[in-house]
Amino acid sequence: MPELPEVETVLRGLRARVLGRRLTEVVVHNALVIHGDAERFAEGVAHRRVEALRRKGKALAIELGAPDGDAAAGRVIGAGSRGTPGACFLLVRLGMTGQLVVVPRAASLEPHTHVRIALEGGAEELRYTDARRFGRLRCCSPAELDGIFSRMGPDAPEISEAEFSRALRGRRGAIKGWLLNQQRLSGLGNIYADEALFAARIHPLAQPGRLRAPEARRLHRAVQKILKRAIELQGTSFRDYVDIEGRPGNFAPRLRVYQRSGAPCRRCGKTIRRLIIAGRGSHFCPGCQPRPRSTAQPTRKKTPR
Ligand SMILES: [Zn+2]
């Protein structure tokens, strides 16, 4: 699943390839990946220039300028009736397997291509593909985007150590679940949460509110360091993630615990184990991440979500 480093990589790719260009024709092949009405989405996004790119956690927002005068008079029927002729945002959540790629318009259609957005000039287009269709594209107003972003916790690379420690205070449950909760901290998913806990030598069932100050500090540092490194290496590819050019990320060889259960720990040699916490497989080293005396309980079975 794309996490913050993968989304940041996509954002940087878009900045290089799409920023400043106009989006022209929008074709929705599968309305399931559109939040709200697909026709309104297509009308809302078409004939606008990409003015900026923003990200919070795993959410990517493409800022689009006001629709062109000629287009407003022609193709974008209804834009005026919505009352906000100004800027809008194309909000993208990649879900489990969403991909945004820029390809020549003539390129053959990959399976699961749900949305195609032509770029000014006519030779290239932006395509959204998503095998499992948990991702969503949404056209929203600046106020709607502010609302969505404000409900998310601080962006993981931005949060200060003091803010991080404060947010842990009094929290029960498992630290692994806390790290995954996007309302507390946004950007981490299963891969980097497991890796950060290993780097900080903290057991995934440790309780957030019971972490000692040095542990909280180590975890904050580990989160920042791992995200930074993963961004430098264009993220981690397991099954589906690719960047805007269709290339996989390079972080996978750096993984110490994620998807390594049964293999020896590269630090101490003990066997990496796996537990289900908050419905997700959690990988950890029992040697490097000793279980504290008081912990949260592991989930007995995988809970449906
Ligand atoms: Zn170890």
Side-chain angles (χ1 to χ4, degrees):
M1 175 194 278
E3 302 179 29
L4 189 150
E6 291 76 35
V7 176
E8 178 66 25
T9 303
V10 169
L11 181 148
R12 291 178 182 193
L14 288 171
R15 193 169 277 155
R17 295 290 298 278
V18 178
L19 185 64
R21 294 174 79 178
R22 274 175 70 245
L23 308 182
T24 57
E25 196 188 352
V26 178
V27 179
V28 176
H29 292 291
N30 187 341
L32 198 73
V33 300
I34 305 296
H35 177 105
D37 182 70
E39 209 165 309
R40 280 185 61 170
F41 167 85
E43 286 176 357
V45 168
H47 304 287
R48 291 172 182 262
R49 191 177 301 279
V50 175
E51 301 287 357
L53 291 138
R54 289 170 62 182
R55 180 192 58 70
K56 186 159 186 191
K58 307 178 211 173
L60 173 66
I62 304 173
E63 186 181 339
L64 303 171
D68 305 345
D70 59 334
R75 289 188 61 101
V76 191
I77 304 153
S81 68
R82 284 200 296 286
T84 46
C88 74
F89 288 89
L90 168 53
L91 179 68
V92 183
R93 292 174 186 272
L94 297 172
M96 298 282 284
T97 54
Q99 300 178 351
L100 271 180
V101 288
V102 174
V103 293
R105 287 199 85 175
S108 58
L109 275 194
E110 294 291 323
H112 313 294
T113 301
H114 303 311
V115 181
R116 300 164 68 188
I117 302 176
L119 296 165
E120 160 177 68
E124 286 183 323
E125 64 184 20
L126 187 60
R127 288 185 186 169
Y128 180 73
T129 68
D130 191 346
R132 298 191 60 184
R133 298 175 303 192
F134 287 120
R136 288 292 176 272
L137 271 57
R138 174 177 181 176
C139 179
C140 52
S141 69
E144 284 170 327
L145 185 77
D146 285 348
I148 292 164
F149 276 10
S150 72
R151 287 191 288 277
M152 297 166 66
D155 196 48
E158 303 288 325
I159 191 170
S160 72
E161 190 189 306
E163 209 183 339
F164 185 83
S165 297
R166 227 179 0 256
L168 292 169
R169 222 168 280 163
R171 294 287 163 195
R172 295 168 187 224
I175 184 65
K176 173 66 187 284
W178 187 91
L179 288 171
L180 294 180
N181 185 338
Q182 303 299 300
Q183 289 168 340
R184 305 257 173 258
L185 183 69
S186 54
L188 288 183
N190 219 22
I191 299 176
Y192 301 111
D194 281 1
E195 293 297 315
L197 287 169
F198 174 79
R201 299 175 186 251
I202 293 170
H203 193 282
L205 285 173
Q207 296 188 46
R210 288 183 176 244
L211 292 183
R212 289 172 289 122
E215 292 175 314
R217 201 174 308 134
R218 284 207 306 272
L219 183 57
H220 174 259
R221 206 169 301 159
V223 165
Q224 311 260 306
K225 198 172 149 191
I226 281 164
L227 291 176
K228 184 167 177 270
R229 193 76 187 113
I231 290 169
E232 285 166 3
L233 292 170
Q234 292 93 39
T236 305
S237 290
F238 267 98
R239 285 171 290 270
D240 298 285
Y241 163 74
V242 292
D243 72 6
I244 200 90
E245 316 287 349
R247 297 172 302 210
N250 302 306
F251 192 77
R254 307 277 174 145
L255 298 173
R256 292 290 177 266
V257 287
Y258 183 75
Q259 297 252 319
R260 292 195 68 242
S261 45
C265 171
R266 291 186 178 134
R267 197 195 274 151
C268 75
K270 287 211 164 66
T271 305
I272 303 295
R273 289 189 52 207
R274 184 174 180 274
L275 273 177
I276 303 291
I277 302 170
R280 310 290 301 278
S282 295
H283 312 80
F284 68 101
C285 169
C288 297
Q289 296 163 269
R291 191 171 173 137
R293 250 172 290 159
S294 163
T295 63
Q297 293 302 306
T299 321
R300 296 270 174 248
K301 58 179 196 285
K302 196 159 183 161
T303 45
R305 285 146 52 84

